[in-house]
Amino acid sequence: MADKSVLIKGAHIVDPSQDIDAVSDILIKNDRVEAIGPDLKAEKSAEIIDATGKHLFPGLVDARVYVGEPGGEHRETIESASKAAAAGGVTSLIMMPETDPVIDDVALVDFVRRAARDHAVVRIYPAAAVTKSMDGKELTEFGLLKQAGAVMLTEGKRTISGNLALRRALTYARDFGLVISLETIDESLSSNGVMNEGLIATHMGLPGIPKEAEIIPLERDLRLAALTQGKYHAAKISTAASAKAVANYKAAGHPVTCGISINHLTLNENDIGRYRTYLRLQPPLRDEDDRQAMINALVDGTIDIIVSSHDPHDVDEKRHPFAEAADGAIGLETLFTAALRLHHNGEVPLSRLIDAMATRAAQIFDLPAGTLKPGSKADFFIADLEMPWVLREEDIISRSKNTPFEGERFSGRVLETWVGGNKVYELQE
Amino acid sequence: MGLGRTIKLRNEFAIGFKFSEKSSTTLFQRHANLFETSSIHLRKRIFAPIRTSDMNTLENAALSSFGQKHLLGIAELSPQEIQFLLDRANEAVSVSRQREKKKSVLRGRTQINLFFEASTRTQSSFELAGKRLGADVMNMSVSSSSVKKGETLIDTAMTLNAMQPDLLVVRHQSAGAVELLANKVGCSVINAGDGAHEHPTQALLDALTIQRSKNSIAGLTVAICGDILHSRVARSNIILLNALGARVKVIAPSTLLPAGIDRLGVEVYRDMNEGLKDCDVVMMLRLQRERMTGALIPSIREYFHFYGLDAKRLECAKPDALVMHPGPMNRGVEIASEIADGPQSVIETQVEMGVAVRMAVIEILMENRGSNG
């Protein structure tokens, strides 16, 4: 088969893995990056794309995506999630094991890998449960799961309540170099709470969740990570105190990292407005002081990565009174464009955003992604950083429409997305 | 005119909050031609109770009509709109005192009382109010079991809407549920209590009771005592009393106070004797039985000892202080029988005013519906 070459000229390329932030050409040969540099030449048969005035980034790596398949295909399938990802510039994603059945077995990891190979247009990596059926008791087969293709261990939206169980999990995972990524929520302290505790919740008559419900289990996890030296990743922090706790353990040299959902960087509790259930999230949207603290922690590197926390729910689970609705919002399609708000406001440098959504995320979970170094997979996307647009429900590709950004105005949009040297998405106007 | 003024007031208050609108505002300016309207000011309205200090600047111009389609909460009303409802309710009191109580203004209209949470008093009060106006009234109690069968609130709303009612009176256990339903139906909706959010007709009937006894609400000191945390009655009353210029105190143990209550325009007291000082009105709240047994307070006797209203404690308030209770009472828990039945108690008057307020609200909303086609 003849070699296929594509030369993309004149794009502003940002690749944190090589400290590139300049107008440059990029040459793709077959499924890999051949070269990056000014005035590249290609053979006559090469396809030439003029991307002058546009930006080109390594494909995003979204480390926290909930998908409905298996068991909830009406909400999202691996195929529909991958198409939504492509539209958002996401070329690699880690799929949560919180499915029905829970992905806690080699055969189920295999199923995801096969479904992804046959139907997905981006790279889908399965995460496996830490404990069987995610009941917090017996460990899953970490080693075999890793061999089968699981790239991370997590308990989905649950916290491991037993201290001993978590200690053993972190200790055993260390032998395989697997990261355990957990969301932290103290069930008893959060009680029946549905939004951030405080004035707004009181005014709305909704039971609140104190910040301590996140911080107390997080601090427990960090201590056990320090004890075991197992790799621990706090999946979604949302409070200033959480960031401070993580920073302390990082400074002491312990193997801890943390992430945040794009929602908690760009929205706060006021945005819930008239009981909008699409903004009911876990952890809940916090106050503006916390949001600002999160931005600072992202800039200084305390927060390593940004995730979409894509969590599709159909209307049956969302069109309820606020206190009775499900938690979670979709986000694959808006991850990049929402993050651009932080760039446009001058709050976070563009290269740090790309690092947090691609390069750093690939490093933490050891994925072949997040870079455009010659020889690496040609996963990238081209975007117009200024293009104004409004998110409308009918344009959403994901099978579920529970976006917190419906009707929102954005500046900047993904124009095309490439995976392994093939264009998998192009914006239709 | 009254409405425009309200929006302005609430925006002034809203500046006190912080918003993450900065990013979208910037974009909005950048692409101003692309977007016709900004929803920002609408969002800011939502959490903004009216400050007492704004009362001084309010014009006293009376409203000639009520501009809203629904009555979902006191927070959505301007002080003038509240006063408009109270004035009409005051006129309705005499109807119930006549031998011939029935009016026919709502003949042919259908009112459905949709109660997802059991209630005897509120439901019968609304039923009586509708019937005295001549409406056909239907009661629907939706037990939680039928909701568990899978029918969502929206499904129920759509079903009822297809029956073409003119008015829905709705009580639901979740905050915001009544508004959600109101957005899905074509008729007017009255909130008869949604979770711990609002119970507007209760606040209006309390205000009418106070106003008839004390002439005016402005300048009075009102204490709301007991389970503030779970109480929609407390929230609606706090907003309404502030709007009409009263000084509001809340008195409760800290486990029954919600976070941020001190920023809702009230003075917070944990000591009943201290809190009752100088009060013109003492409003007691019902304490649910399941909350008395160790979870939030240790025991009934401890609660009554520190927070129950008895004769000795009532002496801390002004000698002519009114004693109120939204009912049903737990005698011997939050209020002593001698006080509930005593000369300062206006608890029965509250029930009477309840019918008048609900008649006025129903009639006003139906007038609007008539004129709007």
Side-chain angles (χ1 to χ4, degrees):
Chain A
M1 200 179 85
D3 283 347
K4 178 188 156 199
S5 294
V6 181
L7 178 62
I8 300 170
K9 297 187 72 73
H12 184 135
I13 298 179
V14 178
D15 179 4
S17 74
Q18 309 177 72
D19 278 329
I20 293 176
D21 189 348
V23 173
S24 180
D25 297 347
I26 181 167
L27 178 63
I28 314 298
K29 198 161 185 183
N30 296 326
D31 64 338
R32 292 183 185 268
V33 177
E34 179 78 9
I36 282 191
D39 301 321
L40 292 182
K41 300 276 181 284
E43 57 238 60
K44 274 194 185 135
S45 63
E47 181 187 350
I48 301 202
I49 296 172
D50 180 14
T52 308
K54 312 289 197 304
H55 276 67
L56 189 149
F57 307 101
L60 302 182
V61 177
D62 190 342
R64 205 154 193 87
V65 175
Y66 292 87
V67 178
E69 188 174 352
E73 286 82 357
H74 61 292
R75 291 187 281 127
E76 194 87 286
T77 60
I78 287 171
E79 181 181 0
S80 66
S82 79
K83 287 181 174 159
V90 175
T91 56
S92 298
L93 64 86
I94 302 180
M95 188 185 123
M96 295 299 103
E98 202 160 351
T99 46
D100 183 16
V102 169
I103 298 171
D104 59 359
D105 187 88
V106 171
L108 288 156
V109 172
D110 258 356
F111 165 80
V112 172
R113 299 248 299 164
R114 270 183 282 114
R117 182 195 64 205
D118 296 344
H119 304 296
V121 298
V122 304
R123 301 180 202 280
I124 307 234
Y125 297 96
V130 182
T131 64
K132 288 174 189 159
S133 307
M134 300 204 309
D135 63 3
K137 297 193 180 88
E138 293 172 51
L139 301 185
T140 55
E141 299 161 318
F142 292 2
L144 293 174
L145 287 164
K146 186 182 181 185
Q147 279 184 0
V151 298
M152 168 217 282
L153 297 168
T154 181
E155 291 281 86
K157 291 163 195 164
R158 302 183 204 178
T159 305
I160 295 176
S161 57
N163 297 343
L164 182 59
L166 179 58
R167 178 188 178 171
R168 284 178 176 156
L170 282 162
T171 306
Y172 190 65
R174 189 187 59 200
D175 294 349
F176 295 96
L178 275 168
V179 180
I180 293 187
S181 170
L182 296 178
E183 298 182 13
T184 56
I185 172 105
D186 185 308
E187 297 285 345
S188 134
L189 203 50
S190 58
S191 186
N192 56 350
V194 296
M195 71 175 287
N196 187 42
E197 184 172 283
L199 177 63
I200 310 275
T202 294
H203 198 273
M204 292 171 79
L206 291 172
I209 302 173
K211 294 171 188 175
E212 285 69 16
E214 168 180 320
I215 300 161
I216 291 171
L218 173 66
E219 288 181 332
R220 186 273 316 246
D221 289 4
L222 291 169
R223 279 182 188 277
L224 289 175
L227 170 69
T228 61
Q229 291 298 301
K231 288 185 192 168
Y232 174 79
H233 178 77
K236 279 155 58 183
I237 68 165
S238 67
T239 78
S242 300
K244 200 177 273 179
V246 171
N248 287 342
Y249 279 81
K250 281 187 166 184
H254 298 301
V256 300
T257 52
C258 77
I260 185 170
S261 93
I262 187 65
N263 302 316
H264 292 82
L265 285 168
T266 54
L267 301 167
N268 68 20
E269 59 182 351
N270 299 283
D271 290 300
I272 292 169
R274 282 295 198 198
Y275 301 93
R276 292 168 66 205
T277 57
Y278 289 1
L279 284 91
R280 183 176 161 178
L281 305 174
Q282 185 55 253
L285 289 172
R286 303 292 185 184
D287 57 41
E288 179 61 6
D289 288 345
D290 276 310
R291 192 184 75 91
Q292 290 295 337
M294 294 296 96
I295 290 171
N296 294 337
L298 178 68
V299 172
D300 73 22
T302 299
I303 294 178
D304 296 273
I305 64 168
I306 304 170
V307 297
S308 71
S309 194
H310 182 82
D311 189 3
H313 290 283
D314 61 10
V315 292
D316 284 353
E317 297 161 306
K318 277 293 190 182
R319 295 236 192 265
H320 285 293
F322 196 86
E324 295 164 24
D327 289 321
I330 58 168
L332 278 167
E333 290 163 69
T334 46
L335 172 63
F336 172 71
T337 197
L340 273 184
R341 285 183 168 182
L342 304 170
H343 160 68
H344 287 312
N345 287 339
E347 290 172 318
V348 187
L350 186 58
S351 59
R352 175 76 260 264
L353 289 172
I354 299 301
D355 181 45
M357 292 189 289
T359 309
R360 185 82 186 106
Q363 282 167 0
I364 290 174
F365 301 105
D366 196 21
L367 305 178
T371 179
L372 297 171
K373 280 184 186 150
S376 58
K377 299 265 187 200
D379 297 356
F380 61 90
F381 69 103
I382 299 171
D384 178 334
L385 295 200
E386 306 297 330
M387 181 188 283
W389 64 292
V390 177
L391 180 68
R392 308 220 178 273
E393 187 184 319
E394 56 266 29
D395 299 332
I396 293 172
I397 292 168
S398 171
R399 205 168 264 198
S400 292
K401 312 297 177 192
N402 55 313
T403 171
F405 296 111
E406 189 183 341
E408 291 274 323
R409 306 169 287 270
F410 290 108
S411 235
R413 198 162 191 187
V414 175
L415 301 177
E416 48 191 74
T417 302
W418 294 60
V419 174
N422 291 313
K423 195 192 288 182
V424 297
Y425 170 79
E426 184 166 7
L427 176 66
Q428 308 292 326
E429 271 307 305
Chain B
M1 180 220 80
L3 213 62
R5 176 69 194 163
T6 316
I7 292 169
K8 188 160 172 289
L9 278 182
R10 287 169 184 170
N11 276 338
E12 282 161 10
F13 181 94
I15 291 165
F17 293 107
K18 289 175 180 166
F19 290 86
S20 64
E21 305 280 7
K22 199 174 144 204
S23 46
S24 44
T25 310
T26 318
L27 292 181
F28 174 60
Q29 285 156 354
R30 193 176 305 168
H31 307 297
N33 53 343
L34 217 107
F35 312 109
E36 289 174 7
T37 55
S38 161
S39 64
I40 291 165
H41 71 280
L42 291 175
R43 283 207 205 158
K44 286 186 177 178
R45 277 191 68 184
I46 294 162
F47 304 110
I50 301 153
R51 288 179 304 185
T52 316
S53 57
D54 289 324
M55 287 303 299
N56 307 332
T57 60
L58 274 178
E59 309 90 332
N60 289 320
L63 288 186
S64 58
S65 68
F66 182 75
Q68 313 222 16
K69 182 183 177 189
H70 310 296
L71 179 65
L72 299 176
I74 301 295
E76 282 82 50
L77 303 181
S78 68
Q80 295 96 326
E81 286 171 319
I82 293 169
Q83 197 54 57
F84 180 78
L85 293 176
L86 290 176
D87 291 346
R88 286 286 295 269
N90 197 31
E91 293 165 19
V93 173
S94 58
V95 177
S96 294
R97 289 183 178 175
Q98 294 162 9
R99 191 158 168 276
E100 175 55 51
K101 296 180 175 61
K102 189 135 176 161
K103 292 169 78 176
S104 57
V105 284
L106 295 189
R107 197 171 58 201
R109 302 294 188 103
T110 307
Q111 170 189 338
I112 300 181
N113 295 336
L114 178 61
F115 278 62
F116 291 87
E117 215 180 50
S119 154
T120 315
R121 302 170 156 254
T122 308
Q123 185 168 331
S124 44
S125 181
F126 271 109
E127 183 178 354
L128 205 52
K131 284 182 170 165
R132 284 188 180 162
L133 292 168
D136 295 316
V137 184
M138 187 182 108
N139 288 317
M140 256 187 85
S141 294
V142 187
S143 68
S144 52
S145 67
S146 75
V147 175
K148 284 200 179 91
K149 276 180 197 156
E151 182 165 86
T152 65
L153 175 65
I154 306 285
D155 293 335
T156 311
M158 298 320 290
T159 306
L160 288 175
N161 196 44
M163 297 178 191
Q164 304 286 345
D166 298 281
L167 176 68
L168 280 176
V169 177
V170 185
R171 169 169 289 188
H172 197 280
Q173 64 279 5
S174 282
V178 178
E179 182 176 326
L180 177 66
L181 190 142
N183 291 335
K184 302 289 170 188
V185 298
C187 64
S188 290
V189 174
I190 297 175
N191 181 1
D194 62 328
H197 179 223
E198 283 235 36
H199 189 355
T201 56
Q202 178 71 43
L204 288 165
L205 75 88
D206 288 340
L208 183 61
T209 307
I210 297 170
Q211 212 168 50
R212 284 171 67 100
S213 173
K214 301 281 186 190
N215 294 322
S216 167
I217 285 173
L220 295 183
T221 301
V222 181
I224 305 176
C225 316
D227 186 0
I228 312 288
L229 179 64
H230 300 96
S231 177
R232 52 192 169 222
V233 176
R235 278 172 187 70
S236 287
N237 265 313
I238 288 169
I239 301 166
L240 186 149
L241 292 167
N242 267 308
L244 295 191
R247 172 185 174 203
V248 185
K249 300 176 175 183
V250 296
I251 310 173
S254 293
T255 45
L256 294 179
L257 287 169
I261 183 76
D262 52 318
R263 288 151 69 201
L264 272 187
V266 299
E267 298 162 38
V268 181
Y269 289 85
R270 275 90 183 177
D271 183 300
M272 191 92 171
N273 293 342
E274 199 186 318
L276 288 181
K277 216 172 282 172
D278 302 326
C279 281
D280 300 283
V281 178
V282 184
M283 280 187 187
M284 302 306 297
L285 296 174
R286 175 181 168 79
L287 184 65
Q288 300 286 344
R289 292 225 161 242
E290 63 269 20
R291 292 174 185 139
M292 302 171 196
T293 50
L296 290 161
I297 49 162
S299 69
I300 292 174
R301 80 172 178 181
E302 171 138 334
Y303 186 76
F304 186 75
H305 184 76
F306 290 101
Y307 294 97
L309 187 67
D310 58 16
K312 193 149 180 289
R313 203 155 268 150
L314 185 56
E315 281 172 18
C316 299
K318 285 189 182 167
D320 61 345
L322 302 179
V323 173
M324 304 176 72
H325 194 297
M329 286 181 281
N330 291 306
R331 290 168 185 263
V333 178
E334 68 257 356
I335 190 163
S337 270
E338 47 172 347
I339 301 302
D341 306 328
Q344 286 169 261
S345 167
V346 290
I347 295 171
E348 279 177 30
T349 314
Q350 286 175 275
V351 179
E352 186 190 358
M353 293 308 123
V355 178
V357 159
R358 282 152 190 148
M359 283 175 73
V361 170
I362 292 170
E363 194 174 354
I364 288 164
L365 292 182
M366 290 300 93
E367 281 167 8
N368 286 359
R369 188 171 160 80
S371 58
N372 295 342

